[in-house]
Amino acid sequence: MNTRVTQMLGIEYPVIQGGMAWVAEHHLAAAVSNAGGLGLIGAASAPAEIVREEIRKAKELTDKPFGVNVMLMNPNAEEVAKVVIEEGVKVVTTGAGNPAKFMPMWKEAGVKVIPVVASVAMAKLMERGGADAVVAEGMESGGHIGSTTTMALVPQVVDAVDIPVIAAGGIGDGRGYAAAMMLGASAVQMGTRFVLADESIVHDNYKEKLIKSKDIDSEVTGLSTGHPIRVIRNKMTREYLKKEQEGASLEELEMLTLGSLRKAVIEGDVVYGSVMAGQIAGMLKKKETCAEIIQDVVGTGEALLRGER
Ligand code: TUI
């Protein structure tokens, strides 16, 4: 496989793993990279020294390139940004904000910078700021989302920038891969499908919740607070949405969700925890290795692009 993104990153297949909070730790990142994609360690809200340890552990498990996702709402983002350079990480993706203030130091250190964007305006701003590529992430994604669908966002971003575009949101199999490539993407980023990977440390309750979920079980909380988060519906989201409709205060809503992702991913509390997942969760039916996932997505996707059905 040869695209602008595989060339830039030195990877075999144009598949990038999402930098999912609590999920994207060293085992998953290394497994995706060993399978020929680009694995990512999701720094999320972790302290910088934990991220450093994760990077070192990933290096023990793979010689292939892997990256770090810097979540910009993290109060420790600046320290994480420096750790990435100190540890010689070659690729950074960013999410949930504007990485402009870190761009010069990353570029100077030779790090490839790939901001995740949810709009054309942000994509153009990132290109002007020196980004090497962008991930155009549609609102089908799990977690923190924008408001445009992948189908509409990707071609508009492709038209607006000259740097390569990686499509994300609602891509979970070869059909999604082929569609994204037809929209002009040079690679895809997938999150939810990798949650079900054998190498993913996510609690089995969480994996089973995804396998049982249907198309209509996806819900967005926090639209009123300006922090929309896509999750699988459960007792917590029902309470949240009820409180949100009643005009509850930001503090009250935050109380409901505080630490709730960890509760679901690590403790397996899928009733009161936050089960973040994209809209394609309904089509996922089994657990498999990262290598099987990538081979299926790229194999089926490339066959479709060649016109084989
Ligand atoms: O970042 C994500 N998805 C995430 S981060 C996350 S951790 C979290 N947990 C609880 C509450 C909040 C966050 C879970 N899922 N995706 C990438 C992404 N970035 N989607 C949308 C954006 C984005 C949004 C605004 C990028 C830039 C942006 O710019 C705003 C600005 O600063 O102008």
Side-chain angles (χ1 to χ4, degrees), residues 37-49:
L38 185 81
L40 289 181
I41 289 167
S45 320
E49 287 314 306

Side-chain angles (χ1 to χ4, degrees), residues 269-280:
D269 182 350
V270 295
V271 178
Y272 292 101
S274 178
V275 185
M276 293 189 192
Q279 283 185 320
I280 53 100

Side-chain angles (χ1 to χ4, degrees), residues 15-70:
V15 175
I16 294 173
Q17 167 232 319
M20 302 163 282
W22 290 105
V23 176
E25 48 70 77
H26 64 279
H27 295 99
L28 185 64
V32 171
S33 288
N34 282 333
L38 185 81
L40 289 181
I41 289 167
S45 320
E49 287 314 306
I50 300 285
V51 179
R52 192 192 301 281
E53 282 172 30
E54 285 292 316
I55 294 168
R56 290 184 178 176
K57 287 178 189 162
K59 281 183 196 159
E60 285 172 19
L61 297 178
T62 186
D63 294 327
K64 302 264 179 76
F66 65 88
V68 171
N69 174 270
V70 180

